[in-house]
């Protein structure tokens, strides 16, 4: 169901000359889909940010009230040229985001329109830098995390899936994908039962989750250890955020090449698309609103975790 779109996205991004405009061309035949590309330059180079909007039949873009869903493809870069040749493992987030947009656009063109709007964001950089990390090196980004969040985490998004390669660790020992607990405004909440159900349905397997820590939901640049940037969208929004980690059994560096597995990415895409259907239809909750309100009354605001110690504020 999603392997075709994943292969198209992989082929487009596994290119030393890949750009946001080339991704825009992939979606050019879908007349109801809008794509915006913006080149942003940082201290370590430049990247093309992409925003793809697939409007719903009752979405807010058309004056409706259905929920707006966000899919963020999180990564440092799709390539580390000239030090690495080819698509790097870190590219999986961008591939999954683009493939998700292609699938949703194709569904819409064939008459299967979602109720709410879906916004897909990511960025395309074929020559990003790398940086040291334990236990293996990570990809870096040509722009800082603040710029990434500003262009990828949008106020319209009422629930967010953040898809990111998460292979450079010894915490997750599973090949495929795994989901995180829900994060909202500085709180790590329980894993969504609805998302577990969707994962079981789309994979035909028992659901797989991964642990996160308080450090993971604080901003980059505070000198704390982060598993990676998968939960960084949570520091930039009040909407609930869930990480979708593309994973492996072994430890794989983000700057490693020949390490993207199309079947695993396609599985994450299928999960994201089904989640988009249910969130915009009002049949999937990322968290229990009553329980969240009770936690707030008991322990107060944790929003300081979203801002304290970020690189821009130091």
């Amino acid at each position: 169901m999603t392997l075709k779109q994943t292969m198209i996205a992989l082929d487009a991004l596994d290119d030393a000359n890949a750009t946001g405009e080339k991704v825009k061309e992939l979606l050019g035949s879908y007349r109801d889909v809008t794509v915006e590309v913006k080149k942003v330059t940082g201290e370590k180079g430049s990247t093309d940010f992409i925003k793809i909007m697939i409007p719903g039949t009752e979405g807010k873009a058309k004056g409706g009230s259905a929920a707006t869903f966000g899919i963020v493809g999180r990564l440092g870069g799709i390539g580390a040229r000239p030090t690495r040749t080819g698509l790097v493992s870190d590219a999986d987030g961008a591939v999954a985001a683009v493939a998700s947009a292609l699938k949703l656009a194709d569904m819409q063109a064939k008459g299967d329109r979602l109720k709410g709007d879906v916004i897909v964001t990511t960025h395309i950089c074929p020559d990003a830098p790398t940086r040291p990390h334990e236990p293996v090196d990570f990809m870096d980004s040509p722009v800082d995390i603040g710029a990434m969040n500003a262009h990828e985490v949008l106020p319209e998004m009422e629930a967010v899936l953040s898809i990111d390669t998460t292979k450079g660790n010894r915490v997750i020992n599973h090949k495929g994908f795994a989901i995180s607990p829900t994060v909202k405004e500085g709180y790590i909440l329980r894993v969504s039962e609805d998302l577990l159900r969707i994962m079981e349905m789309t994979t035909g397997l028992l659901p797989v989750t991964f642990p996160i820590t308080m450090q993971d939901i604080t901003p980059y640049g505070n000198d704390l250890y982060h598993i990676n940037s998968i939960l960084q969208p949570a520091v930039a929004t009040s909407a609930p955020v869930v990480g979708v980690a593309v994973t492996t059994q072994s430890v794989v560096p983000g700057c490693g090449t020949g390490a993207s597995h199309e079947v695993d990415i396609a599985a994450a895409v299928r999960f994201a698309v089904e989640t988009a259907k249910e969130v915009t239809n009002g049949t999937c909750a990322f968290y229990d609103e009553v329980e969240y309100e009770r936690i707030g009354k008991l322990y107060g605001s944790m929003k300081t975790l979203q801002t304290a110690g970020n690189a821009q504020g130091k």
Side-chain angles (χ1 to χ4, degrees):
M1 294 173 64
T2 55
L3 184 58
K4 175 183 176 181
Q5 288 78 19
T6 300
M7 297 295 285
I8 291 170
L10 273 169
D11 187 59
L13 298 188
D14 191 7
D15 183 342
N17 300 303
T19 64
E21 290 297 332
K22 289 186 177 181
V23 172
K24 185 176 181 177
E25 290 172 8
L26 293 179
L27 292 142
S29 63
Y30 300 105
R31 61 185 181 86
D32 291 333
V33 176
T34 59
V35 185
E36 299 175 15
V37 178
K38 184 175 182 179
K39 185 173 184 178
V40 176
T41 300
E43 294 181 358
K44 302 175 183 178
S46 63
T47 189
D48 291 343
F49 284 99
I50 305 171
K51 174 189 173 184
I52 305 165
M53 162 71 87
I54 303 98
T57 57
E58 301 174 25
K60 293 181 174 64
K62 295 185 177 181
S65 59
T68 300
F69 184 58
I71 299 174
V72 177
R74 183 44 61 100
L75 68 157
I78 63 170
R81 299 173 180 86
T83 59
R84 302 287 195 281
T85 302
L87 193 79
V88 295
S89 171
D90 200 42
D92 292 359
V95 173
V98 172
S100 296
L102 285 169
K103 179 60 180 178
L104 289 164
D106 191 55
M107 286 168 52
Q108 187 180 85
K110 292 176 178 177
D112 283 331
R113 303 175 72 93
L114 276 58
K115 276 190 176 183
D117 305 328
V118 179
I119 302 174
V120 181
T121 59
T122 191
H123 72 101
I124 307 300
C125 179
D127 51 8
T130 62
R131 65 182 177 87
H133 187 272
E134 292 295 336
V136 289
D137 288 349
F138 269 5
M139 287 294 295
D140 202 350
S141 175
V143 297
D144 64 37
I145 198 71
M148 292 174 70
N149 280 341
H151 290 91
E152 294 178 348
V153 187
L154 307 179
E156 305 96 305
M157 296 174 174
E158 296 174 62
V160 178
L161 283 187
S162 174
I163 309 176
D164 196 351
T165 314
T166 311
K167 305 172 182 176
N169 63 82
R170 294 189 177 92
V171 175
I172 311 170
N173 303 306
H174 165 79
K175 184 176 181 297
F177 76 95
I179 64 173
S180 77
T182 300
V183 177
K184 179 173 167 60
E185 297 180 279
Y187 275 103
I188 299 175
L189 306 175
R190 61 185 290 196
V191 179
S192 164
E193 291 290 337
D194 285 334
L195 294 180
L196 292 174
R197 170 179 54 80
I198 294 170
M199 189 175 187
E200 286 181 322
M201 179 177 66
T202 58
T203 64
L205 299 168
L206 292 174
V208 179
T209 64
F210 67 97
I212 54 175
T213 67
M214 297 300 286
Q215 295 98 306
D216 294 320
I217 66 169
T218 61
Y220 263 23
N222 59 9
D223 298 325
L224 296 177
Y225 179 88
H226 296 74
I227 188 170
N228 64 0
S229 66
I230 191 166
L231 269 309
Q232 287 301 291
V235 309
T237 180
S238 61
V241 177
V242 170
V244 179
V246 182
T247 59
T248 48
Q249 285 188 334
S250 60
V251 179
V252 177
C255 56
T257 57
S260 292
H261 304 274
E262 55 272 18
V263 174
D264 297 339
I265 300 171
V269 172
R270 188 163 57 249
F271 171 78
V273 169
E274 291 302 314
T275 302
K277 293 179 187 178
E278 294 214 17
V279 168
T280 60
N281 197 41
T283 57
C284 172
F286 273 37
Y287 69 104
D288 185 321
E289 293 185 12
V290 174
E291 187 174 60
Y292 182 74
E293 183 179 353
R294 184 163 180 248
I295 291 172
K297 288 180 178 178
L298 286 170
Y299 301 107
S301 174
M302 298 289 283
K303 290 182 181 180
T304 184
L305 287 173
Q306 295 180 285
T307 56
N310 65 41
Q312 290 74 31
K314 291 179 70 175

